[in-house]
Short mmCIF file of all heavy atoms in Angstrom, two decimals:
data_model
loop_
_atom_site.label_atom_id
_atom_site.label_comp_id
_atom_site.label_asym_id
_atom_site.label_seq_id
_atom_site.Cartn_x
_atom_site.Cartn_y
_atom_site.Cartn_z
N LEU A 1 -87.94 39.40 -80.52
CA LEU A 1 -88.63 38.29 -81.18
C LEU A 1 -89.60 38.84 -82.23
O LEU A 1 -90.43 39.69 -81.93
CB LEU A 1 -89.39 37.44 -80.17
CG LEU A 1 -88.55 36.64 -79.17
CD1 LEU A 1 -89.46 35.81 -78.27
CD2 LEU A 1 -87.55 35.74 -79.89
N MET A 2 -89.47 38.35 -83.44
CA MET A 2 -90.33 38.79 -84.54
C MET A 2 -91.01 37.57 -85.15
O MET A 2 -90.36 36.54 -85.41
CB MET A 2 -89.51 39.52 -85.61
CG MET A 2 -90.36 40.11 -86.73
SD MET A 2 -89.41 41.16 -87.87
CE MET A 2 -88.56 39.92 -88.82
N GLY A 3 -92.31 37.66 -85.39
CA GLY A 3 -93.06 36.56 -85.98
C GLY A 3 -93.92 37.02 -87.14
O GLY A 3 -94.40 38.15 -87.16
N TYR A 4 -94.12 36.13 -88.10
CA TYR A 4 -94.95 36.46 -89.25
C TYR A 4 -95.52 35.19 -89.87
O TYR A 4 -94.95 34.11 -89.80
CB TYR A 4 -94.17 37.27 -90.30
CG TYR A 4 -92.76 36.81 -90.55
CD1 TYR A 4 -92.44 35.95 -91.61
CD2 TYR A 4 -91.71 37.24 -89.74
CE1 TYR A 4 -91.14 35.54 -91.84
CE2 TYR A 4 -90.40 36.85 -89.97
CZ TYR A 4 -90.12 35.99 -91.01
OH TYR A 4 -88.83 35.58 -91.24
N VAL A 5 -96.70 35.37 -90.45
CA VAL A 5 -97.45 34.27 -91.06
C VAL A 5 -97.48 34.46 -92.56
O VAL A 5 -97.67 35.57 -93.06
CB VAL A 5 -98.89 34.23 -90.51
CG1 VAL A 5 -99.71 33.14 -91.21
CG2 VAL A 5 -98.90 34.01 -89.01
N LYS A 6 -97.31 33.34 -93.28
CA LYS A 6 -97.56 33.31 -94.72
C LYS A 6 -98.57 32.19 -94.99
O LYS A 6 -98.50 31.13 -94.38
CB LYS A 6 -96.28 33.08 -95.51
CG LYS A 6 -95.37 34.30 -95.55
CD LYS A 6 -94.31 34.16 -96.62
CE LYS A 6 -93.57 35.48 -96.84
NZ LYS A 6 -92.63 35.39 -97.97
N ARG A 7 -99.49 32.46 -95.92
CA ARG A 7 -100.58 31.51 -96.17
C ARG A 7 -100.92 31.50 -97.65
O ARG A 7 -100.80 32.50 -98.35
CB ARG A 7 -101.80 31.91 -95.35
CG ARG A 7 -102.25 33.31 -95.62
CD ARG A 7 -103.13 33.90 -94.54
NE ARG A 7 -104.49 33.38 -94.59
CZ ARG A 7 -105.50 33.96 -93.96
NH1 ARG A 7 -105.30 35.05 -93.22
NH2 ARG A 7 -106.71 33.45 -94.02
N THR A 8 -101.35 30.33 -98.14
CA THR A 8 -101.86 30.24 -99.50
C THR A 8 -103.26 30.82 -99.55
O THR A 8 -103.92 30.99 -98.52
CB THR A 8 -101.86 28.79 -99.99
OG1 THR A 8 -102.59 27.98 -99.05
CG2 THR A 8 -100.45 28.25 -100.13
N ALA A 9 -103.75 31.09 -100.75
CA ALA A 9 -105.05 31.73 -100.90
C ALA A 9 -106.17 30.88 -100.31
O ALA A 9 -107.16 31.42 -99.78
CB ALA A 9 -105.32 32.00 -102.38
N ASP A 10 -106.04 29.55 -100.39
CA ASP A 10 -107.08 28.67 -99.86
C ASP A 10 -106.78 28.17 -98.44
O ASP A 10 -107.50 27.31 -97.92
CB ASP A 10 -107.29 27.47 -100.79
CG ASP A 10 -106.02 26.63 -100.96
OD1 ASP A 10 -104.98 26.98 -100.35
OD2 ASP A 10 -106.08 25.64 -101.70
N ASP A 11 -105.72 28.70 -97.83
CA ASP A 11 -105.31 28.32 -96.47
C ASP A 11 -104.95 26.84 -96.33
O ASP A 11 -104.93 26.30 -95.22
CB ASP A 11 -106.40 28.68 -95.45
CG ASP A 11 -106.51 30.18 -95.22
OD1 ASP A 11 -105.52 30.88 -95.50
OD2 ASP A 11 -107.58 30.64 -94.80
N SER A 12 -104.63 26.20 -97.46
CA SER A 12 -104.20 24.81 -97.37
C SER A 12 -102.78 24.69 -96.84
O SER A 12 -102.37 23.61 -96.39
CB SER A 12 -104.29 24.15 -98.75
OG SER A 12 -103.45 24.82 -99.68
N ASN A 13 -102.03 25.77 -96.88
CA ASN A 13 -100.68 25.77 -96.34
C ASN A 13 -100.47 27.09 -95.59
O ASN A 13 -100.59 28.17 -96.16
CB ASN A 13 -99.65 25.63 -97.46
CG ASN A 13 -98.22 25.52 -96.94
OD1 ASN A 13 -97.34 26.27 -97.33
ND2 ASN A 13 -97.95 24.56 -96.07
N VAL A 14 -100.19 26.97 -94.30
CA VAL A 14 -99.97 28.13 -93.44
C VAL A 14 -98.65 27.93 -92.71
O VAL A 14 -98.43 26.89 -92.08
CB VAL A 14 -101.12 28.30 -92.42
CG1 VAL A 14 -100.86 29.51 -91.53
CG2 VAL A 14 -102.46 28.43 -93.13
N VAL A 15 -97.77 28.90 -92.81
CA VAL A 15 -96.44 28.81 -92.20
C VAL A 15 -96.23 30.01 -91.28
O VAL A 15 -96.45 31.16 -91.67
CB VAL A 15 -95.33 28.75 -93.27
CG1 VAL A 15 -93.95 28.73 -92.62
CG2 VAL A 15 -95.52 27.53 -94.16
N LEU A 16 -95.80 29.72 -90.07
CA LEU A 16 -95.49 30.75 -89.07
C LEU A 16 -93.99 30.71 -88.79
O LEU A 16 -93.45 29.67 -88.42
CB LEU A 16 -96.27 30.48 -87.78
CG LEU A 16 -95.82 31.24 -86.52
CD1 LEU A 16 -96.07 32.73 -86.68
CD2 LEU A 16 -96.52 30.69 -85.28
N THR A 17 -93.32 31.84 -88.99
CA THR A 17 -91.89 31.95 -88.70
C THR A 17 -91.69 32.86 -87.49
O THR A 17 -92.29 33.94 -87.42
CB THR A 17 -91.12 32.52 -89.91
OG1 THR A 17 -91.35 31.69 -91.05
CG2 THR A 17 -89.63 32.58 -89.63
N VAL A 18 -90.86 32.42 -86.55
CA VAL A 18 -90.51 33.22 -85.38
C VAL A 18 -88.98 33.28 -85.32
O VAL A 18 -88.32 32.24 -85.35
CB VAL A 18 -91.07 32.63 -84.08
CG1 VAL A 18 -90.79 33.56 -82.91
CG2 VAL A 18 -92.56 32.34 -84.19
N VAL A 19 -88.44 34.49 -85.25
CA VAL A 19 -86.98 34.67 -85.28
C VAL A 19 -86.53 35.47 -84.07
O VAL A 19 -87.15 36.49 -83.72
CB VAL A 19 -86.54 35.40 -86.57
CG1 VAL A 19 -85.02 35.48 -86.65
CG2 VAL A 19 -87.11 34.71 -87.80
N ASN A 20 -85.45 35.03 -83.43
CA ASN A 20 -84.78 35.79 -82.39
C ASN A 20 -83.71 36.64 -83.07
O ASN A 20 -82.72 36.11 -83.58
CB ASN A 20 -84.15 34.85 -81.36
CG ASN A 20 -83.44 35.59 -80.23
OD1 ASN A 20 -83.42 36.82 -80.20
ND2 ASN A 20 -82.85 34.84 -79.31
N LEU A 21 -83.90 37.93 -83.10
CA LEU A 21 -82.96 38.83 -83.77
C LEU A 21 -81.70 39.08 -82.95
O LEU A 21 -80.74 39.67 -83.46
CB LEU A 21 -83.64 40.17 -84.09
CG LEU A 21 -84.90 40.08 -84.97
CD1 LEU A 21 -85.51 41.48 -85.15
CD2 LEU A 21 -84.58 39.47 -86.32
N ASP A 22 -81.69 38.63 -81.71
CA ASP A 22 -80.54 38.81 -80.81
C ASP A 22 -79.66 37.57 -80.89
O ASP A 22 -80.05 36.50 -80.44
CB ASP A 22 -81.03 39.04 -79.38
CG ASP A 22 -79.90 39.39 -78.42
OD1 ASP A 22 -78.72 39.33 -78.83
OD2 ASP A 22 -80.21 39.70 -77.25
N HIS A 23 -78.46 37.71 -81.45
CA HIS A 23 -77.57 36.56 -81.61
C HIS A 23 -76.84 36.21 -80.32
O HIS A 23 -76.14 35.19 -80.26
CB HIS A 23 -76.54 36.84 -82.70
CG HIS A 23 -75.62 38.00 -82.39
ND1 HIS A 23 -75.99 39.31 -82.62
CD2 HIS A 23 -74.37 38.04 -81.86
CE1 HIS A 23 -75.00 40.11 -82.26
NE2 HIS A 23 -74.00 39.36 -81.79
N ARG A 24 -77.00 37.02 -79.26
CA ARG A 24 -76.22 36.83 -78.04
C ARG A 24 -76.98 36.13 -76.93
O ARG A 24 -76.36 35.44 -76.11
CB ARG A 24 -75.75 38.20 -77.51
CG ARG A 24 -74.84 38.96 -78.47
CD ARG A 24 -74.85 40.45 -78.19
NE ARG A 24 -76.20 41.01 -78.41
CZ ARG A 24 -76.47 42.30 -78.41
NH1 ARG A 24 -75.51 43.18 -78.22
NH2 ARG A 24 -77.70 42.73 -78.61
N ARG A 25 -78.31 36.31 -76.88
CA ARG A 25 -79.05 35.86 -75.70
C ARG A 25 -80.29 35.06 -76.06
O ARG A 25 -80.90 35.27 -77.11
CB ARG A 25 -79.51 37.08 -74.87
CG ARG A 25 -78.39 37.86 -74.22
CD ARG A 25 -78.95 39.06 -73.45
NE ARG A 25 -80.00 38.64 -72.51
CZ ARG A 25 -80.76 39.49 -71.83
NH1 ARG A 25 -80.61 40.79 -72.01
NH2 ARG A 25 -81.67 39.03 -70.99
N VAL A 26 -80.65 34.15 -75.13
CA VAL A 26 -81.94 33.46 -75.22
C VAL A 26 -83.04 34.49 -74.99
O VAL A 26 -82.97 35.31 -74.07
CB VAL A 26 -82.04 32.33 -74.16
CG1 VAL A 26 -83.42 31.69 -74.21
CG2 VAL A 26 -80.94 31.30 -74.36
N ARG A 27 -84.05 34.45 -75.85
CA ARG A 27 -85.18 35.38 -75.72
C ARG A 27 -86.48 34.58 -75.73
O ARG A 27 -86.63 33.61 -76.48
CB ARG A 27 -85.20 36.38 -76.88
CG ARG A 27 -83.99 37.31 -76.92
CD ARG A 27 -84.04 38.36 -75.82
NE ARG A 27 -82.88 39.26 -75.90
CZ ARG A 27 -82.72 40.32 -75.13
NH1 ARG A 27 -83.64 40.62 -74.22
NH2 ARG A 27 -81.65 41.08 -75.25
N SER A 28 -87.42 34.99 -74.90
CA SER A 28 -88.71 34.31 -74.81
C SER A 28 -89.82 35.34 -74.72
O SER A 28 -89.59 36.51 -74.38
CB SER A 28 -88.75 33.38 -73.60
OG SER A 28 -88.57 34.12 -72.40
N GLY A 29 -91.03 34.91 -75.02
CA GLY A 29 -92.17 35.81 -74.95
C GLY A 29 -93.46 35.08 -75.27
O GLY A 29 -93.47 33.88 -75.57
N TRP A 30 -94.55 35.82 -75.23
CA TRP A 30 -95.87 35.29 -75.53
C TRP A 30 -96.32 35.83 -76.88
O TRP A 30 -96.32 37.03 -77.12
CB TRP A 30 -96.87 35.66 -74.44
CG TRP A 30 -96.65 34.86 -73.19
CD1 TRP A 30 -95.83 35.16 -72.15
CD2 TRP A 30 -97.24 33.60 -72.89
NE1 TRP A 30 -95.86 34.17 -71.20
CE2 TRP A 30 -96.74 33.20 -71.63
CE3 TRP A 30 -98.16 32.77 -73.54
CZ2 TRP A 30 -97.11 32.00 -71.03
CZ3 TRP A 30 -98.54 31.58 -72.94
CH2 TRP A 30 -98.02 31.20 -71.70
N MET A 31 -96.68 34.90 -77.76
CA MET A 31 -97.02 35.25 -79.12
C MET A 31 -98.52 35.03 -79.35
O MET A 31 -99.07 34.00 -78.97
CB MET A 31 -96.24 34.39 -80.11
CG MET A 31 -96.50 34.73 -81.58
SD MET A 31 -95.78 33.50 -82.66
CE MET A 31 -96.80 32.09 -82.24
N ARG A 32 -99.13 36.01 -79.99
CA ARG A 32 -100.56 35.90 -80.33
C ARG A 32 -100.71 35.49 -81.78
O ARG A 32 -100.35 36.24 -82.70
CB ARG A 32 -101.29 37.22 -80.08
CG ARG A 32 -102.78 37.15 -80.39
CD ARG A 32 -103.45 38.51 -80.26
NE ARG A 32 -104.87 38.40 -80.57
CZ ARG A 32 -105.38 38.45 -81.82
NH1 ARG A 32 -104.57 38.60 -82.85
NH2 ARG A 32 -106.68 38.33 -82.00
N PHE A 33 -101.28 34.30 -82.01
CA PHE A 33 -101.55 33.85 -83.37
C PHE A 33 -102.93 34.36 -83.78
O PHE A 33 -103.91 34.18 -83.06
CB PHE A 33 -101.51 32.33 -83.47
CG PHE A 33 -101.59 31.82 -84.87
CD1 PHE A 33 -100.47 31.75 -85.66
CD2 PHE A 33 -102.82 31.45 -85.41
CE1 PHE A 33 -100.55 31.30 -86.98
CE2 PHE A 33 -102.92 31.01 -86.72
CZ PHE A 33 -101.77 30.93 -87.51
N PRO A 34 -103.06 34.98 -84.96
CA PRO A 34 -104.32 35.64 -85.34
C PRO A 34 -105.37 34.66 -85.84
O PRO A 34 -105.70 34.60 -87.04
CB PRO A 34 -103.87 36.60 -86.45
CG PRO A 34 -102.70 35.91 -87.09
CD PRO A 34 -101.99 35.19 -85.97
N LEU A 35 -105.95 33.89 -84.93
CA LEU A 35 -106.94 32.89 -85.30
C LEU A 35 -108.15 33.49 -86.01
O LEU A 35 -108.77 32.85 -86.87
CB LEU A 35 -107.39 32.13 -84.05
CG LEU A 35 -106.36 31.15 -83.46
CD1 LEU A 35 -106.79 30.70 -82.06
CD2 LEU A 35 -106.19 29.94 -84.37
N GLU A 36 -108.49 34.73 -85.67
CA GLU A 36 -109.67 35.35 -86.27
C GLU A 36 -109.51 35.53 -87.77
O GLU A 36 -110.50 35.56 -88.52
CB GLU A 36 -109.96 36.71 -85.60
CG GLU A 36 -108.99 37.83 -85.92
CD GLU A 36 -107.68 37.74 -85.14
OE1 GLU A 36 -107.57 36.87 -84.25
OE2 GLU A 36 -106.78 38.56 -85.40
N GLN A 37 -108.26 35.63 -88.26
CA GLN A 37 -108.05 35.76 -89.71
C GLN A 37 -108.43 34.50 -90.45
O GLN A 37 -108.64 34.51 -91.67
CB GLN A 37 -106.58 36.11 -89.99
CG GLN A 37 -106.15 37.48 -89.51
CD GLN A 37 -104.72 37.80 -89.90
OE1 GLN A 37 -104.12 37.12 -90.74
NE2 GLN A 37 -104.16 38.84 -89.29
N PHE A 38 -108.55 33.39 -89.73
CA PHE A 38 -108.90 32.12 -90.33
C PHE A 38 -110.34 31.71 -89.97
O PHE A 38 -110.73 30.55 -90.16
CB PHE A 38 -107.92 31.04 -89.88
CG PHE A 38 -106.50 31.34 -90.27
CD1 PHE A 38 -105.68 32.11 -89.45
CD2 PHE A 38 -105.98 30.88 -91.47
CE1 PHE A 38 -104.37 32.41 -89.81
CE2 PHE A 38 -104.67 31.17 -91.84
CZ PHE A 38 -103.87 31.94 -91.01
#
């Protein structure tokens, strides 16, 4: 599982993408969103 954030300079638009790179199996996990950056 890979996740990444993209944000505008003023943080008016924030997008988080999470992708399962394994095409064969269901994958789950715990993701930490970097609230301190905001």
Side-chain angles (χ1 to χ4, degrees):
L1 292 182
M2 185 172 77
Y4 41 96
V5 176
K6 286 195 169 186
R7 56 199 284 196
T8 54
D10 60 0
D11 288 337
S12 60
N13 184 235
V14 180
V15 177
L16 166 67
T17 303
V18 185
V19 185
N20 180 1
L21 302 177
D22 186 354
H23 63 277
R24 298 158 297 189
R25 292 179 53 188
V26 176
R27 297 287 181 175
S28 61
W30 287 88
M31 182 190 67
R32 181 185 179 275
F33 188 83
L35 288 167
E36 71 282 354
Q37 293 184 13
F38 300 87

